[in-house]
Amino acid sequence: MNIQAKYTPVLDPDFIAPVLWTKAFEEKVAAEPNSHVVELALTRLDGTCFRWSGKLLPNEGENVALNHFYVERIVKFLLWMKGGCTILVAGDDSVAEMLAATYCKGGAREFDWDFIGTQIYDQPIQVKAVPAAELPAEKSTSVALGRNLDGYRIGFDLGGSDRKAAAVVNGEVVFSEEVVWDPYHQKDPNYQLEGVDDSLIRAAKHLPQVDAIGGSAAGVYVNSEPRVGSLFRGISKEDFQRVIRRMFYTLKDRWCERMGKDVPFEVVNDGEVTALAGAMGMNDDAVLGIAMGTSLAAGYVDPEGHIMPWLNELAFVPVDYQEDGGVDEWSKDKGVGAMYFSQQAVARLAPRAGFSFGDMPFPEQLKKVQAAMAEGDERARKIYETIGVEFGYTIAYFANFYGIRNLLFLGRVATGDGGQLIIDKANEVLAGEFPELHINLCVPDEKTKRHGQAVAAASLPKLG
C-alpha cells in the first residue's frame, strides 16, 4: 500500500501512523469492486453492545493478511476503548476464525483475552461468527455521569500516596484535605475501606448534610465496582472479591444510614474525572484527556458533556503499525500507547538520541531528559519532537473513534519546555496533514488544577 507521511519522527523514522495505514487500506478497498462488508458487535454480560462495520478486500492472496491485520488492530482498539467480553462477527467467517485464534489462551492476545475478559467482565473473551441479522443493536445500559452541581456533596480522589476529599456546596469547594496513606502494600482490605470512609467523615463535618458522594481512583471501574487497580494490588483475590469489589456499595449503605435517606454514590476512573474537570473548566465538551505519566492514562467527555461507561485504557491501544514497534512488556504487544506517550516513551527514545542511562529507573531518566531540555540539549529536543510528531498522527487516529473538539494534555512528560514542544509538533502535524480537524490542544488552568478534580468527582451522581 502507498502510505505517504508529510512528517517523519526524527528518532523513529520507521513509525507507521495507523491513521495513514487505515486511510491507504480503505482507499484500496474502495477501488476494489468485489470488496465485502464485515460487521462486529462487542457486547458485555449486562447487555451493553457497541457496533462497528467496515469493508474488506476479497479474501485472496496477500489480501487475507491485510484484511486480518486491519480488523484485528481495530478490534484491539475497541476492546480497550469501549470494553466487552463477546465479539460477534458477521460477513466474514475467516475474520471470526482469526480473532478466535488470536484472542484465546495461547493466542497472540492472550493478555487481552484474560485481562479484559476475566478480570474486568468476569468472562474470558469469546468470538462467534453469526449472521448479520443476529447482531444485536447498539445499546448502552449505563447512565451518563457528571456536571451535577446542586446540593451538598463530597468529592474524593484516591491516589497512591494520598487520598483527597472535598466538601462542595452547589459547585463551590468549602473544604478540601489531603491525607497521606500507603494502600499499595496493604493486605487488609479494611485499610482502604476505612481510609476512604475516614476522609468522607472529615469532609462531611463541613456540611449541614450530605446529598451525594462522587469519587475517582486509578484503575478500572464498572458500575462503581473496582475490577483492576494498583491501589489494591496487595489484596488477595479472595479478599478483593469479598470486600474490595463491593467496597463503595458498602460505603453507600453506611452513608444512607447516617443521613437517613438515599445518598447517590458513584466512583469512576480518575482519567475520566480529569477530563470532566477540564471540560467544566473550559466550559466546553467533546474533551479527550491524555496524561503522559508512568503510563498513558485517558478520559473522555462526550459532545453532550458527560463521561460514559467505557474503559478508555489507551495505554494498550495500537498507535504504531511498524513491524519493529516498541514492545510493551506487560501485554507483549507492540506499538501500543504506553510505549509512545509516557515516561516509557522517553526511555525508549533516549538511547537513540545519544543518552546512556543504563538501568536507571524510568522516572529518573525522565528527570535527566527534562533537565537536558531546560539547558537546550539538542538530544532532548529530538525526543520531544519525536513524541510530538507521533502524538499528532495519533490524535488524528483517535478522532476516528472519538468526537474531539478539545484535547487536554497533562502528566509528567507534559511538563516544562518539552511538553510545549510536544504540543507544537502535534499541532504542526494536525494542521499540515489533517486541516479538516479542528482540535484545541490545551493544558489545565490553575483553577482546574486546584479544585477541578474534587468538584468534577462530586458532580458525578444525580440527585433524586
Side-chain angles (χ1 to χ4, degrees):
M1 292 192 300
N2 184 25
I3 301 173
Q4 297 291 332
K6 290 183 180 179
Y7 304 89
T8 300
V10 61
L11 298 178
D12 203 4
D14 295 326
F15 173 78
I16 298 177
V19 66
L20 299 181
W21 192 98
T22 298
K23 179 183 178 183
F25 176 83
E26 292 176 351
E27 288 175 350
K28 186 178 179 71
V29 170
E32 173 54 67
N34 295 320
S35 61
H36 62 284
V37 174
V38 63
E39 297 180 275
L40 304 176
L42 180 58
T43 69
R44 302 178 186 172
L45 295 177
D46 65 1
T48 300
C49 176
F50 305 108
R51 293 285 299 268
W52 176 88
S53 66
K55 285 189 173 183
L56 302 181
L57 298 165
N59 276 322
E60 56 190 27
E62 65 179 16
N63 289 352
V64 176
L66 289 174
N67 285 342
H68 288 182
F69 182 80
Y70 170 69
V71 174
E72 192 278 324
R73 294 287 78 183
I74 286 177
V75 165
K76 168 94 174 190
F77 196 109
L78 293 174
L79 281 169
W80 288 104
M81 174 195 176
K82 297 288 186 68
C85 53
T86 301
I87 304 169
L88 304 177
V89 183
D92 194 316
D93 288 352
S94 75
V95 166
E97 292 171 3
M98 176 274 296
L99 291 173
T102 303
Y103 291 88
C104 66
K105 186 172 181 60
R109 304 290 166 259
E110 180 177 356
F111 171 85
D112 313 81
W113 167 81
D114 177 62
F115 197 104
I116 293 181
T118 305
Q119 296 190 51
I120 298 178
Y121 294 111
D122 296 325
Q123 173 189 291
I125 289 174
Q126 298 178 350
V127 181
K128 301 176 183 178
V130 299
E134 294 183 15
L135 288 174
E138 179 106 5
K139 179 183 178 183
S140 178
T141 58
S142 298
V143 178
L145 302 171
R147 290 184 180 270
N148 304 297
L149 299 174
D150 53 325
Y152 300 99
R153 297 169 174 266
I154 298 175
F156 66 88
D157 178 61
L158 307 180
S161 59
D162 60 61
R163 59 181 196 265
K164 305 177 182 69
V168 181
V169 178
N170 295 323
E172 295 297 325
V173 175
V174 298
F175 167 82
S176 64
E177 182 184 42
E178 296 182 8
V179 177
V180 175
W181 73 340
D182 180 27
Y184 284 162
H185 307 296
Q186 303 296 328
K187 296 182 179 180
D188 181 358
N190 289 306
Y191 177 88
Q192 285 90 341
L193 175 66
E194 300 303 335
V196 175
D197 201 24
D198 175 64
S199 286
L200 298 180
I201 291 171
R202 289 167 178 256
K205 291 179 180 178
H206 299 266
L207 297 172
Q209 64 189 50
V210 176
D211 296 324
I213 299 172
S216 65
V220 176
Y221 292 79
V222 178
N223 297 328
S224 295
E225 288 189 356
R227 297 298 171 89
V228 181
S230 58
L231 299 179
F232 314 111
R233 62 189 181 194
I235 307 298
S236 68
K237 289 184 178 180
E238 294 75 19
D239 284 342
F240 189 94
Q241 290 296 325
R242 181 177 61 86
V243 178
I244 300 299
R245 181 82 174 253
R246 299 291 292 179
M247 168 179 161
F248 296 111
Y249 287 88
T250 299
L251 290 171
K252 173 181 168 63
D253 291 342
R254 287 185 185 181
W255 283 89
C256 288
E257 184 176 350
R258 287 167 182 163
M259 293 296 106
K261 64 177 182 178
D262 181 54
V263 178
F265 202 121
E266 299 283 354
V267 181
V268 300
N269 171 269
D270 54 356
E272 307 295 346
V273 174
T274 298
L276 179 60
M280 294 168 70
M282 289 184 282
N283 196 30
D284 198 5
D285 301 316
V287 178
L288 180 64
I290 295 292
M292 298 187 191
T294 304
S295 184
L296 169 63
Y300 179 61
V301 176
D302 74 5
E304 283 68 51
H306 296 286
I307 56 177
M308 302 303 292
W310 300 347
L311 290 185
N312 295 321
E313 291 290 340
L314 301 185
F316 296 108
V317 302
V319 299
D320 180 11
Y321 281 2
Q322 68 170 300
E323 183 64 29
D324 297 320
V327 176
D328 171 40
E329 64 177 2
W330 195 10
S331 68
K332 308 303 181 188
D333 200 358
K334 58 189 175 185
V336 298
M339 299 303 299
Y340 291 73
F341 308 117
S342 73
Q343 65 184 17
Q344 297 177 70
V346 174
R348 182 177 70 89
L349 296 172
R352 303 183 188 184
F355 290 99
S356 299
F357 293 135
D359 295 329
M360 183 184 295
F362 290 171
E364 297 304 313
Q365 291 190 36
L366 175 58
K367 289 179 182 177
K368 292 286 188 182
V369 171
Q370 288 174 327
M373 182 67 188
E375 295 173 359
D377 192 318
E378 187 62 24
R379 297 174 302 169
R381 185 176 184 84
K382 288 180 179 179
I383 291 175
Y384 288 110
E385 284 184 351
T386 297
I387 293 173
V389 170
E390 294 178 343
F391 193 36
Y393 281 110
T394 299
I395 293 169
Y397 188 54
F398 287 169
N400 287 348
F401 298 88
Y402 294 94
I404 310 171
R405 282 198 300 273
N406 302 284
L407 190 136
L408 188 67
F409 181 46
L410 61 162
R412 295 185 191 95
V413 179
T415 60
D417 295 340
Q420 185 58 52
L421 184 54
I422 290 174
I423 290 177
D424 292 343
K425 296 304 290 187
N427 275 326
E428 184 180 346
V429 171
L430 288 170
E433 285 269 33
F434 311 99
E436 71 280 5
L437 296 178
H438 302 283
I439 298 174
N440 172 40
L441 272 66
C442 57
V443 297
D445 59 26
E446 287 305 314
K447 183 179 180 181
T448 299
K449 289 178 181 178
R450 287 198 306 274
H451 296 306
Q453 190 90 358
V455 173
S459 80
L460 292 174
K462 181 177 293 186
L463 299 184

